[in-house]
Amino acid sequence: SQQGEEDPQALSIQEGENATMNCSYKTSINNLQWYRQNSGRGLVHLILIRSNEREKHSGRLRVTLDTSKKSSSLLITASRAADTASYFCATGANSGYSTLTFGKGTMLLVSP
Amino acid sequence: NAGVTQTPKFRVLKTGQSMTLLCAQDMNHEYMYWYRQDPGMGLRLIHYSVGEGTTAKGEVPDGYNVSRLKKQNFLLGLESAAPSQTSVYFCASSYERGLDTEAFFGQGTRLTVV
């Protein structure tokens, strides 16, 4: 069973706009990661946020984590056409397989 | 630095045929994983390995076998392919357990079973 669920399933914006994707999960986690997948390619790690962190930045990416609400958000500022991809949140917990569990992803389309 | 390499990239199998997918990583990672990705289902863990000579079942292991005879290689086998195994398969590796560190993914193997 999948731990994280991204919302929305699809998002379409114009270049220069900000894109916000959300991830909700069900059980307590050690950390949460975000990955990007370009069409037909493998996943690429973007950022990892630990359960004791509330916010983390990496370039144009900002990730927040609210463990009380069991949710995370990924904000991409000043989007570019090259940001067009699917974005996945992945969670890890000590129970289960001790590996990452991925959500179904948000498909982001950034139009020039 | 190649990272994670999957072989082959594409394959068409007939129902009942067998095949082996090869994953090779050159980062000296202990942990390796096989996922399958289906439309609308996200990524699901098939099998994983926490070190050379070890394997463990994931969420959807039925119909698959794996081996990790060498640290750098993780093989996924389909003994008798079924149409339900049509999917894109991704191999990944990580230095520490996947909960605590980033995973590096291969480019995927697109498998069609007819």
Side-chain angles (χ1 to χ4, degrees), chain A residues 1-2 30-31 33 35 37 40-45 48 50 88 91-94 96-104, chain B residues 31 33 35 37 40-45 48 57-60 90 97-108 110:
Chain A
S1 62
Q2 284 163 318
N30 291 358
N31 60 58
Q33 304 184 36
Y35 287 78
Q37 182 181 34
R41 308 296 295 272
L43 279 73
V44 175
H45 179 263
L48 181 154
R50 302 199 183 279
F88 295 86
T91 54
N94 280 320
Y97 309 114
S98 295
T99 61
L100 289 174
T101 303
F102 288 84
K104 297 179 182 179
Chain B
Y31 294 77
Y33 319 88
Y35 289 90
Q37 184 177 33
M41 296 295 292
L43 278 82
R44 293 181 291 171
L45 181 67
Y48 65 103
K57 294 180 179 180
E59 181 184 358
V60 288
F90 287 100
R97 65 176 187 167
L99 306 179
D100 304 323
T101 188
E102 68 177 287
F104 293 81
F105 281 79
Q107 293 300 295
R110 186 174 296 274

Side-chain angles (χ1 to χ4, degrees), chain B residues 3-78:
Chain B
V4 179
T5 303
Q6 292 182 230
T7 309
K9 290 183 172 51
F10 302 93
R11 185 73 185 269
V12 178
L13 281 181
K14 292 182 179 179
T15 297
Q17 286 186 320
S18 63
M19 78 164 294
T20 300
L21 283 67
L22 171 63
C23 176
Q25 52 95 4
D26 61 1
M27 296 172 283
N28 201 35
H29 285 170
E30 290 292 338
Y31 294 77
M32 297 187 76
Y33 319 88
W34 276 107
Y35 289 90
R36 60 177 289 173
Q37 184 177 33
D38 302 294
M41 296 295 292
L43 278 82
R44 293 181 291 171
L45 181 67
I46 305 172
H47 286 280
Y48 65 103
S49 169
V50 301
E52 181 179 312
T54 74
T55 62
K57 294 180 179 180
E59 181 184 358
V60 288
D62 294 342
Y64 305 95
N65 56 76
V66 288
S67 64
R68 183 106 181 263
L69 298 179
K70 293 183 178 180
K71 185 177 184 179
Q72 63 268 33
N73 295 337
F74 194 29
L75 279 64
L76 178 70
L78 287 73

Side-chain angles (χ1 to χ4, degrees), chain A residues 2-96:
Chain A
Q2 284 163 318
Q3 167 78 304
E5 291 290 338
E6 293 88 347
D7 174 66
Q9 291 186 347
L11 181 60
S12 183
I13 60 174
Q14 301 285 345
E15 263 190 331
E17 294 180 339
N18 295 342
T20 300
M21 288 158 268
N22 302 297
C23 171
S24 60
Y25 57 91
K26 297 176 182 176
T27 61
S28 297
I29 59 171
N30 291 358
N31 60 58
L32 186 143
Q33 304 184 36
W34 284 91
Y35 287 78
R36 184 189 74 231
Q37 182 181 34
N38 292 91
S39 181
R41 308 296 295 272
L43 279 73
V44 175
H45 179 263
L46 295 176
I47 200 164
L48 181 154
I49 186 166
R50 302 199 183 279
S51 59
N52 60 355
E53 298 176 308
R54 292 296 168 258
E55 187 171 314
K56 202 162 184 179
H57 296 255
S58 177
R60 293 183 296 111
L61 305 180
R62 171 176 168 255
V63 169
T64 62
L65 179 63
D66 187 335
T67 53
S68 66
K69 295 181 179 179
K70 293 186 170 59
S71 67
S72 173
S73 67
L74 170 67
L75 168 68
I76 304 174
T77 59
S79 296
R80 306 166 182 168
D83 294 327
T84 293
S86 291
Y87 292 82
F88 295 86
C89 69
T91 54
N94 280 320
S95 61

